[in-house]
Amino acid sequence: MKGNGVKVEEMQRMPFGTMFTFYDQDGNEYILREDK
């Protein structure tokens, strides 16, 4: 995603799974989460 110019925050590893935040071209925030 970073290679295509998308603003992406660092991946966070939590006890319940992994998640990261990214933003679209309008600045809207999205969270992608994968549960264990």
Side-chain angles (χ1 to χ4, degrees):
M1 292 177 80
K2 286 182 181 181
N4 288 325
V6 177
K7 180 181 174 188
V8 179
E9 294 186 5
E10 294 300 316
M11 190 158 307
Q12 299 175 0
R13 297 191 192 318
M14 305 287 193
F16 56 81
T18 305
M19 64 184 192
F20 71 94
T21 303
F22 65 96
Y23 300 87
D24 67 11
Q25 66 273 15
D26 296 322
N28 296 308
E29 178 181 83
Y30 297 90
I31 297 174
L32 187 61
R33 177 176 151 176
E34 179 182 46
D35 294 333
K36 285 188 174 179

